[in-house]
Structures are given as structure tokens and as C-alpha cells.
Amino acid sequence: MSLAPLLIASGLGRTYRRGAEEVVALADVSFRLEPGELVVLTGPSGSGKTTLLNILAGWETPDTGQLAWGERGTTVTAPGWDLLAIAPQRLGLLPELTIGENVELPLRLAGGEDRAVRAQRLETALEAFGIAHLAHRMPSEVSLGEQQRTALARALVGVPRLLLADEPTGHQDAAWASGVMDGLRKAAAAGSAVLVATHDEEIIAQAPRRLRLRDGRLIA
Ligand SMILES: Nc1ncnc2c1ncn2[C@@H]1O[C@H](COP(=O)(O)OP(=O)(O)OP(=O)(O)O)[C@@H](O)[C@H]1O
Ligand SMILES: [Mg+2]
């Protein structure tokens, strides 16, 4: 493990307001992530897990606190695919692209590498999540579990420094729940830090490190 943390989150807070109604979704959340570690984020429904992941992804702005990205510091406001990728709870596949094109998207956006390297990475990601035979289909033509594994393959294909996975086994059967976790463990072993939000007791029990939220606050 390197000496510099990958990410330091300090005092993150987010309150949703609509008229007189206020929901404190996150309050004073601080933690750090090291390169290549696998961390499970748990807590009851509504405790703030997705809100926290969305803030880390740059999709939402916190009302308080800040994020520092290792040596890149606090200047990163919209992390690129090389730094961070997310498999969102609502999946977010592009309906007009095939399964294969969805997974390949981060590689295309990043550019750079030659076509043979890209093709190899794409194939590895599709095979890791058992969707290689579905690459030519549209998202509407595969099952919800297969769509979720597509979102995971898309997040992993670019080998990000930090991978966020929001309820990644939510639509999987028991065999694929453990297949998905194998994929995430391999990503961590290859150097990506992985933060997994989950209710799955089996995953929580096996986790090397846990962050637990209750009412928007981290508890011991
Ligand atoms: N856009 C929004 N406007 C108002 N309240 C919101 C909004 N998004 C989330 N919330 C509220 O913020 C709180 C935290 O929601 P969040 O989605 O982060 O929970 P969660 O831990 O991911 O839950 P789950 O396990 O059900 O996915 C909840 O009380 C939720 O109702
Ligand atoms: Mg959630």
C-alpha cells in the first residue's frame, strides 16, 4: 500500500430542501480511502449511501466539507474515467447503444490506447461479468441482472483508481452475487480502490473494512 491516501473526505454534508421540508441526507462524514482497498458502505435504506457515492462521483455537490484526491488535491471537481468510475444503483445504461458499446464507452471517451488493447480490455470486462454473448443486444433486450452486470463491466473496463458500486448485487441471483464480488475483489487486487454500497449481509460479513451510515452519519 502506498503512503499517500487515494482520497480524503472531510466533513461532507448534504441537506435536501423542498419548501419547508428538509432532509439531512449526510452530516459530517469524514473518512479516507487507500489505493487498492475494498471497503463496504452499509446502513439502512435512506441512510445516505447513494448520496455519498454521488458526491464522490462529482454528480452532486456537498453543502459542507471537501474531497481531496491524493496528490491531485482538492482541484478535481469532475473526476475523469481514469480516476473514478461508478456502477450506479439506477444503472444508467445508454438505451440506444448495445451492451458491448455501453461497456466500451469509457475506453472510447478516454481515447489513447490502440485498438487491440481496447478490444482486449473490452473482452475481459464482458467475460468477467458473463455478458460477452449479449454484446450485440440492446439493454432493453437483456434481463435486469444482465443490465446491472453491464454497468459493472463499464465501470471496471477503464481500470479506474476508485470504483464506486451502488448495490451491485441488488438484481443478481446467489451465484452471480458472488461472481460480482469476485470481480470487485479482483479489481481491488489489481490496484483499484473499491467502495461498495450494499445491504447484502453476506458481502458485509466478508468485507475487509466497513463504513456504516445511520441517518447520514458514520457510526463506528
Ligand atoms: N433528490 C432528493 N430530494 C430529497 N430527498 C432526497 C433526495 N435524494 C435522496 N433523498 C433523501 O435522502 C436520504 C438518503 O437517501 P439515499 O438515496 O442516499 O439513501 P440510501 O442509503 O442510498 O438508501 P437505499 O438503501 O434505499 O438505496 C433519504 O431520506 C432520501 O429520501
Ligand atoms: Mg441507495
Side-chain angles (χ1 to χ4, degrees):
M1 220 169 253
S2 81
L3 291 174
L6 175 64
L7 173 70
I8 303 173
S10 327
L12 297 178
R14 179 80 171 98
T15 299
Y16 295 107
R17 292 187 179 82
R18 171 184 282 260
E21 193 193 2
E22 276 198 355
V23 179
V24 179
L26 274 190
D28 198 24
V29 167
S30 302
F31 61 93
R32 50 170 71 201
L33 293 176
E34 306 296 334
E37 72 170 338
L38 185 119
V39 181
V40 162
L41 177 65
T42 72
S45 179
S47 60
K49 301 181 297 296
T50 294
T51 303
L52 177 57
L53 294 194
N54 287 350
I55 287 172
L56 299 184
W59 287 355
E60 275 193 48
T61 310
D63 304 316
T64 64
Q66 57 178 345
L67 292 173
W69 289 94
E71 67 275 15
R72 299 190 216 191
T74 52
T75 51
V76 179
T77 50
W81 285 100
D82 63 320
L83 183 57
L84 177 140
I86 181 167
Q89 190 164 17
R90 293 177 205 254
L91 309 185
L93 300 181
L94 298 181
E96 67 276 21
L97 298 184
T98 65
I99 295 297
E101 288 164 346
N102 267 281
V103 175
E104 195 184 6
L105 196 60
L107 299 178
R108 284 182 175 265
L109 293 174
E113 268 135 14
D114 69 50
R115 286 179 77 159
V117 173
R118 269 185 7 204
Q120 183 57 54
R121 280 195 180 187
L122 174 62
E123 194 184 316
T124 304
L126 290 169
E127 277 169 8
F129 292 100
I131 49 174
H133 63 297
L134 305 172
H136 63 286
R137 291 209 210 155
M138 305 308 285
S140 61
E141 297 169 339
V142 304
S143 76
L144 191 51
E146 290 159 349
Q147 288 177 38
Q148 181 168 50
R149 302 206 300 279
T150 303
L152 283 157
R154 180 182 58 182
L156 272 169
V157 75
V159 193
R161 302 279 308 280
L162 173 59
L163 173 73
L164 306 173
D166 200 348
E167 301 286 352
T169 61
H171 303 297
Q172 304 304 323
D173 62 19
W176 264 114
S178 77
V180 162
M181 286 313 295
D182 283 347
L184 296 181
R185 269 191 291 270
K186 276 188 198 143
S192 297
V194 181
L195 182 59
V196 188
T198 187
H199 292 114
D200 187 323
E201 289 300 335
E202 210 160 307
I203 294 172
I204 296 168
Q206 293 168 11
R209 180 180 166 207
R210 280 159 236 167
L211 294 174
R212 201 173 285 278
L213 281 171
R214 189 191 291 153
D215 297 333
R217 290 178 184 275
L218 279 182
I219 55 175

